[in-house]
Amino acid sequence: MKGASVPAVVGMPSPLFLWRFKAILFLLWGLCCCKIGWDSVMRMSADLRDLFLYEVFLYYNPLFLVALMIWLWGVNLWVFAQSSVNYVKVFDLAQTHLSHREIWRCATWLTLIVPTSMTAYLYLYSHGEVSLAASQPVLLYAILLIVLLSPFDMFYLSSRFYFLRTMLRIVLPLQAITFPDFFLADIFTSMSKVFSDLERSVCRMVNRQVATIAWFEADSICGSHSIAIPLVLVLPYLCRFFQCIRQYKDTKEKSCLLNALKYSTAVPVIFLSALKYHVFPDQWVSFYRPLWLISGVINSLYSFYWDIKRDWDLSILTRIFMFKSPSTWTSLLYGRNWVYYWVLGSNLVLRCTWTYKLSAHLRHNYLTVFAITALEMLRRFQWVFFRVENEWNKMTAKQNFEMSSDMPSESDRLLESSSHTV
């Protein structure tokens, strides 16, 4: 009624305000981790500091790279949602599949807990709590494994089951290969260095070498000369190789054999590099290193050729950025020649760093290897756009052809009408 007192309604904060508030908290948390970590490192003696940082880097850098890959995959899904590419049909996903927002939520949690665990490790070790420090990476790995394998209906059970089932199909290609199978296997080839570091980290945890200097012995079971390192590096390529063989068995297409040959060229790069620790230095310099360089060049150029000729369709390189609604990204990226040249040039350059990433004898330059592995993930990130769009165009072209073949032609309709009697 007019003149009556109306209770004040407390308004909810806007989504933009909440986003800014979360961003500020995230920034403050990051600054706190950096400050505590830096102070902890400065407390150590200079002669042990580099060795200790190398060990810390080994435990946590693969998880940082996994988080980066999840962030980039969320960006891929966001772009697909804005464009005409129906990635749900391409990957044959259920209606309960994760959206780009849910993917980013997973990446956010991983980005939070990994630096927190690393900061706790640095702080505890620098203050003399060695046993508690050693438990930090072990606890983190155990929690992540439990979350991934948990059979309970939480943490996106259906999506985790889809991911684990696809991984099983990659390792055991006993059935017809689908697009999600070889797509995820291709991404795993870009993460071979991540898998290698995960294996070395788990090896040291199992053998109780965390927060000790026993792991620094090169000839130990978890040392830099371990035969497990090249075996883990080559595993994603072998899985993809056997997928191609299985595809050839099902389709009899010779292109499958050529694709299998591409993945097989990574094998000599990996094992020739590992031979450095098992042959005399003169033999490595005079014989094995030239072979390693030649095999690296072959692998890089063959992979680049396959990206351009087979995985992508050069006539549609920029249509992925034609969004349904007007956007700044559309005006910046759609139909621009510089996007075309950037994709070709960056893909060639980053393919040529393939040899460095796959070479075990260069892994002591851990910061450089980390940077190159991150760049390889960025290359795979832009590869995803054009590979998925190419597959979607093939699916729509096939559907249009089937629909046109099912429709009767004009001559058939005329003959059918003339056969009727009035």
Side-chain angles (χ1 to χ4, degrees), residues 301-317:
L301 295 181
Y302 197 169
S303 300
F304 174 75
Y305 164 79
W306 197 269
D307 286 341
I308 303 304
K309 186 67 176 179
R310 298 287 184 173
D311 288 347
W312 300 347
D313 183 355
L314 295 181
S315 63
I316 57 168
L317 269 180

Side-chain angles (χ1 to χ4, degrees), residues 230-300:
L231 290 178
V232 176
L233 283 173
V234 81
L235 183 60
Y237 298 93
L238 291 181
C239 291
R240 194 67 186 90
F241 172 83
F242 287 114
Q243 280 185 333
C244 295
I245 299 301
R246 173 67 199 217
Q247 283 183 303
Y248 175 74
K249 178 179 179 296
D250 295 336
T251 64
K252 304 302 180 183
E253 295 181 0
K254 293 183 178 180
S255 60
C256 297
L257 294 180
L258 297 176
N259 201 13
L261 179 63
K262 181 192 72 172
Y263 293 102
S264 66
T265 58
V267 177
V269 178
I270 295 171
F271 284 100
L272 285 173
S273 172
L275 277 177
K276 179 182 179 180
Y277 299 116
H278 304 281
V279 298
F280 293 109
D282 294 340
Q283 291 179 325
W284 164 254
V285 173
S286 62
F287 183 72
Y288 291 107
R289 188 169 65 177
L291 289 179
W292 165 69
L293 290 172
I294 293 173
S295 60
V297 171
I298 293 174
N299 174 262
S300 299

Side-chain angles (χ1 to χ4, degrees), residues 1-21:
M1 294 177 61
K2 188 176 181 178
S5 60
V6 180
V9 178
V10 179
M12 294 294 294
S14 65
L16 181 60
F17 173 81
L18 291 176
W19 184 88
R20 289 176 177 175
F21 181 71

Side-chain angles (χ1 to χ4, degrees), residues 36-56 118-128 130 133 211:
I36 296 173
W38 177 260
D39 292 342
S40 301
V41 170
M42 290 298 102
R43 287 173 59 94
M44 303 176 189
S45 60
D47 55 340
L48 292 178
R49 190 177 299 160
D50 291 340
L51 299 180
F52 181 75
L53 287 177
Y54 178 76
E55 184 191 17
V56 174
M118 185 177 70
T119 304
Y121 182 82
L122 292 170
Y123 179 83
L124 292 171
Y125 188 89
S126 63
H127 286 76
V130 178

Side-chain angles (χ1 to χ4, degrees), residues 188-194 196 229-237 262-274 292 295-296 299-300 303 350-363 369 372-373 376:
F188 282 170
T189 59
S190 294
M191 302 179 67
S192 56
K193 183 63 173 62
V194 174
S196 176
I229 295 175
L231 290 178
V232 176
L233 283 173
V234 81
L235 183 60
Y237 298 93
K262 181 192 72 172
Y263 293 102
S264 66
T265 58
V267 177
V269 178
I270 295 171
F271 284 100
L272 285 173
S273 172
W292 165 69
S295 60
N299 174 262
S300 299
S303 300
L350 294 178
R351 277 295 189 184
C352 291
T353 63
W354 203 262
T355 300
Y356 197 104
K357 183 175 67 69
L358 293 180
S359 302
H361 76 279
L362 299 173
R363 60 178 169 266
V369 174
I372 290 178
T373 307
E376 166 60 21

Side-chain angles (χ1 to χ4, degrees), residues 60 116-118 120-121 124 131-141:
Y60 292 101
T116 302
S117 175
M118 185 177 70
Y121 182 82
L124 292 171
S131 59
L132 288 177
S135 66
Q136 297 306 307
V138 178
L139 185 63
L140 176 62
Y141 277 60

